[in-house]
Structures are given as structure tokens and as C-alpha cells.
Amino acid sequence: MTAIATRLEQKRDVSGAFPGPRSQELAQRRSAVVAAGVASSVPVYAADADGAIIRDVDGNQFIDLGSGIAVTSVGASDPAVVAAVQESVEHFTHTCFMVTPYESYIAVAEQLNALTPGDHEKRTVLFNSGAEAVENAVKVARLATGRNAVVVFDHAYHGRTNLTMALTAKSMPYKHGFGPFAPEVYRVPMSYPYREETEIKGEDAARRAIAMIEKQIGADQVAAILIEPVQGEGGFIVPAEGFLPTLAAWAKETGVVFIADEVQSGFCRTGAWFASEHENVVPDLITMAKGIAGGLPLSAVTGRADLLDAVHGGGLGGTYGGNPVACAAALAAIGTMKEQDLPARAGHIGDTIGSRLRALAEKTDIIGEVRGRGAMMAIELVKPGTGATTKEPNPEATKAIVQAALAEGVILLTCGTYGNVIRLLPPLVISDELLVDALDVLETAILAA
Ligand SMILES: *Cc1c(COP(=O)(O)O)cnc(C)c1O
């Protein structure tokens, strides 16, 4: 295994003005033409990006600890992805798989059927975005079971379309004012170990949710349970051990389709190909997007053949779903993940981040918890002195830390229902040296807050 070649020097450099004159000019042009509802968390504009570095239009270089929201796991312009896209686009840009099909779509389905958990007979269908994959997984579950209800969890995030807004837990900014929402969506308590009032085992937290489902909906009315094995936007919440397997076992007993939304946690991010694997959960359906195609828009639903094949011809699809250029990119990105053994690399990154942040938590009382799996790590920040008692969320410090790190050349994302979680999602190809440099910056920013 040789390291991936990079074009841009993998080095942080914010010696220029910040935000520089070109970024400021673009911000002005933008405000006159781009809808205000699209917000950007960083005030600089990208000119180039490679590996774990984003270079802005004024020549500043930032270490990217967000990967464009968990997308560029193989780096921002992986040479294998770039070459595959160029090769593909020279032949055709689009024919529509529903009109004139092509091989790369089939090859992606073969890969996903082989890589996802379980050795049962599987089928795959491709789409463009994570939300679209989630919508279609629900369609499949409803048709295959003949039932309507969908069970989701506190702190869940599943997208911004009408059905996925209903599935998402957080009002502001995702749902506020955008109703009415789709019916037959029921929310039950998540296992959120840090914020349980009294410690509760994963199995018991699952039984708490199951009791609500049985009382309030009725098991025989439920088409699907939809859950992120590690919650993303909700705050990188890892449920207590036993929670996911207990839910999956109950779903199996009652004929409920268990859907794992691995849009953020999939494709090596957590130290395994899919986060479901950490507890040997075999979902009936898996939704995937984000890291799947090295940055090109592609998403997928993979799962039990009997469920997916229950749908009549023409019932699933979309004009662009499984675009040939995106499929070529996915095949190349998956190739890089295998070649570079990115599941192992994610585990190593997680160990580096985890030990560093846990040591830091000893030095400051605003770190309530360090948690996550693999290279999907986060810190939850609380008001000073409340860590052992009320655990009062500290969104102010969260903001201040992210801004201070950015000014030093490190891009960080926040998340969490209470806006008090900093999440670390580095490209999995980041070098140890660059990662340590970014963690130095983060540590300084935390200690200053
Ligand atoms: C990002 C995300 C989605 C939505 O994906 P889009 O591509 O933005 O539509 C759905 N589920 C999870 C878990 C996500 O993290």
C-alpha cells in the first residue's frame, strides 16, 4: 500500500488576510443572487482542494476536519476518482438507467451487495441524495409489509425533503415553518448514554422504545424502524451497547423492516465498512450516500432481495439516479477504500483523536463527553462546573472554539440537538502529522474558551 499522491502541499497556511479580499468580493456577489436560506459555515470560498487541505481563493490553506460533511473520505480529489470521472465523462454523461442501462450501475450494485452486512440475497437501487435514499427505503418497507407506520428516534436526522423532514427530530433550522409534514411517523426515545437521567442498559433503553411502539402504534401497524447506528447531525450519539441488536431482534420477530440509515456512518467512517457491524446488526435495508462516491452525488438503498423485489417495475427510480459518472466515481472510491484499508485507518484516526481529547478533558471542565466510533468523533461541551450535575449545554463555547480554530486554519463542524457538539470528520487519508497539527489548534482553542 502506497500513500495517495497529492497535488497541494498538505500544510496549513493562513498567513493571508482572513477572509481575504477575493472571498469578501464573492460573499457580496453571493448575497445579491443566492437564496439566503442556504447558509455556509465558513466565510471563505474554495479554489482548490486535495487530500485533507482546502485552499481558498486568497491562497489560504485549511485543514479540513469536516470532509464536506463526511463525504470526501478518500480525499478531496483522490487521483483514482478523478481519473475514473474523466474516463467516464468522455464516453457519456447520461443516458438514464431507466431508458438505456449501463454496466457501471450494475458494478456498483455488486459492490454494495457484497460490502453491506449479511450474506443473504440482496438487491440495490441507486439515487442522488441521502434524503432520496431514505424516502425510497420507506417506500419499499411500506409496500413490502402493507403497513404504514414508520418509527424514528429522538435526535434523528434523515434529510430535508417533505417525508425526511417529518422523520427528522430537530425543528430549527430543518423543519421550522415548512409543514405540514407527512403522517404516520412516530418518534420514540433514543439511547443517549450521556444524557440519560439514570444509567440505563442498551437493552432496557430498547425495551423502553419498544413498549412505546407497542402501546401507541401496535407492532402489526409498523412498516419500519429507521435509525442511524451512530447519530450524525443529532450529536454523534452512540447508543448504549445492546440497543441496536435488541431493536433489530424485535423487528425481526414482528415483521417490521429494520432500516439502518448509514448515510453519514457508512463507508469506513467508523472503523468498519458500516457502523451496524460493530454490534453484528444485519439491517433489512441500508441507506447510503455521503462517502460513497468520493464527492460525486450518489446514494443507494441495499437490502433484502425479497423486500426490494416486491416493488413493481417502474415503482423505483429517477432521471439521474445512478448517474454513470457518479457510478464510476463510486467504483474508484471503493477501490481506494480497499487499497488503503480505510476502515483500519479510520480506527487509527479515532484512537489518535480519542486519546488526545480524553486527556484534554482532564484539563478543562467544559468538555462533558468525548465520544464516537472510529473517525466519527465528537466532544459535547457543557457550561463550566455543570459536567457532574445538570450538564448544561454550552453552545457559546462551541461557536467560539470553531471560530478560533478556523482563524488558525482548521475547519470544524458542529452538530447536536443543543448546538453544543463539535464533530471531527477528517478525510480518512489525512496524514498523522496533519491530524496532530489540527488537534494542536483545537486544543489551544478549547483551553482558551
Ligand atoms: C446527511 C444525511 C442525510 C441526508 O442526505 P442528503 O444527501 O443531504 O440528502 C440522511 N441521513 C443521514 C444520517 C445524514 O447524515
Side-chain angles (χ1 to χ4, degrees):
M1 177 179 101
T2 51
I4 295 172
T6 45
R7 290 176 296 106
L8 294 182
E9 193 187 359
Q10 297 294 292
K11 213 174 159 205
R12 172 170 70 90
D13 176 8
V14 281
S15 50
F18 170 82
R22 291 186 166 195
S23 277
Q24 289 186 36
E25 193 189 313
L26 286 172
Q28 256 185 4
R29 261 173 72 193
R30 169 198 179 135
S31 66
V33 293
V34 177
V38 193
S40 303
S41 47
V42 172
V44 299
Y45 286 75
D48 202 348
D50 187 26
I53 289 290
I54 295 179
R55 191 179 168 86
D56 79 5
V57 288
D58 294 287
N60 296 302
Q61 293 209 154
F62 298 85
I63 303 174
D64 182 12
L65 293 192
S67 299
I69 320 187
V71 170
T72 52
S73 297
V74 295
S77 47
D78 174 30
V81 170
V82 171
V85 165
Q86 285 171 340
E87 215 279 321
S88 170
V89 82
E90 274 174 21
H91 290 285
F92 56 96
T93 55
H94 173 86
T95 56
C96 187
F97 194 76
M98 301 185 303
V99 180
T100 315
Y102 39 87
E103 183 179 352
S104 56
Y105 190 117
I106 300 166
V108 170
E110 287 167 347
Q111 288 293 327
L112 300 185
N113 293 1
L115 290 167
T116 48
D119 50 14
H120 52 287
E121 183 80 9
K122 291 177 205 160
R123 297 288 183 270
T124 285
V125 54
L126 302 178
F127 304 98
N128 304 289
S129 68
E132 217 185 337
V134 172
E135 292 242 358
N136 279 279
V138 171
K139 279 167 64 173
V140 168
R142 283 178 167 159
L143 184 138
T145 59
R147 305 172 182 178
N148 289 326
V150 180
V151 173
V152 289
F153 292 80
D154 285 335
H155 312 287
Y157 181 84
H158 298 292
R160 295 171 180 272
T161 57
N162 186 261
L163 175 59
T164 58
M165 278 193 294
L167 301 168
T168 290
K170 193 174 180 178
S171 174
M172 202 60 174
Y174 307 123
K175 305 168 76 163
H176 183 84
F178 297 139
F181 303 110
E184 287 305 310
V185 173
Y186 299 86
R187 194 169 308 284
V188 297
M190 180 63 185
S191 162
Y192 186 168
Y194 180 63
R195 290 197 176 274
E196 297 284 2
E197 270 169 29
T198 52
E199 201 173 311
I200 173 169
K201 285 200 185 119
E203 243 180 78
D204 296 332
R207 296 237 162 74
R208 174 178 66 186
I210 289 164
M212 270 181 80
I213 298 168
E214 287 176 336
K215 271 251 153 36
Q216 299 183 14
I217 317 163
D220 63 353
Q221 302 299 302
V222 179
I225 289 181
L226 169 66
I227 189 163
E228 301 154 84
V230 177
Q231 286 186 322
E233 309 301 301
F236 281 24
I237 300 164
V238 185
E241 196 185 330
F243 184 71
L244 295 170
T246 305
L247 287 175
W250 178 83
K252 192 166 194 173
E253 270 164 37
T254 50
V256 170
V257 176
F258 186 87
I259 308 173
D261 183 353
E262 295 240 22
V263 166
Q264 193 155 164
S265 58
F267 290 97
C268 315
R269 177 53 58 185
T270 65
W273 277 90
F274 295 95
S276 298
E277 292 168 41
H278 295 291
E279 290 193 79
N280 298 315
V281 168
V282 179
D284 297 313
L285 298 175
I286 294 197
T287 56
M288 294 160 271
K290 293 198 165 99
I292 192 174
L296 271 81
L298 186 74
S299 69
V301 178
T302 295
R304 273 168 48 195
D306 61 314
L307 298 176
L308 279 150
D309 283 347
V311 180
H312 46 276
L316 302 174
T319 306
Y320 290 114
N323 170 273
V325 182
C327 284
L331 293 170
I334 290 168
T336 296
M337 291 175 204
K338 290 181 181 171
E339 244 163 60
Q340 302 283 323
D341 193 3
L342 292 190
R345 185 72 201 147
H348 169 76
I349 290 170
D351 291 343
T352 305
I353 295 173
S355 58
R356 181 71 183 266
L357 293 180
R358 283 187 190 103
L360 181 62
E362 305 287 310
K363 291 192 234 166
T364 165
D365 63 352
I366 62 169
I367 296 183
E369 188 179 45
V370 176
R371 62 170 175 260
R373 276 196 197 279
M376 191 170 178
M377 294 292 294
I379 42 181
E380 176 155 357
L381 296 157
V382 294
K383 295 262 162 78
T386 69
T389 53
T390 52
K391 299 175 179 169
E392 202 182 322
N394 195 342
E396 300 81 10
T398 307
K399 252 201 183 131
I401 292 164
V402 167
Q403 278 171 4
L406 182 65
E408 291 300 318
V410 176
I411 294 174
L412 290 165
L413 302 176
T414 61
C415 61
T417 297
Y418 316 107
N420 66 327
V421 179
I422 295 175
R423 54 174 153 174
L424 284 76
L425 288 165
L428 304 178
V429 297
I430 192 170
S431 69
D432 286 343
E433 197 188 350
L434 205 59
L435 179 61
V436 167
D437 182 32
L439 291 173
D440 289 343
V441 170
L442 175 60
E443 175 165 337
T444 306
I446 290 173
L447 291 176

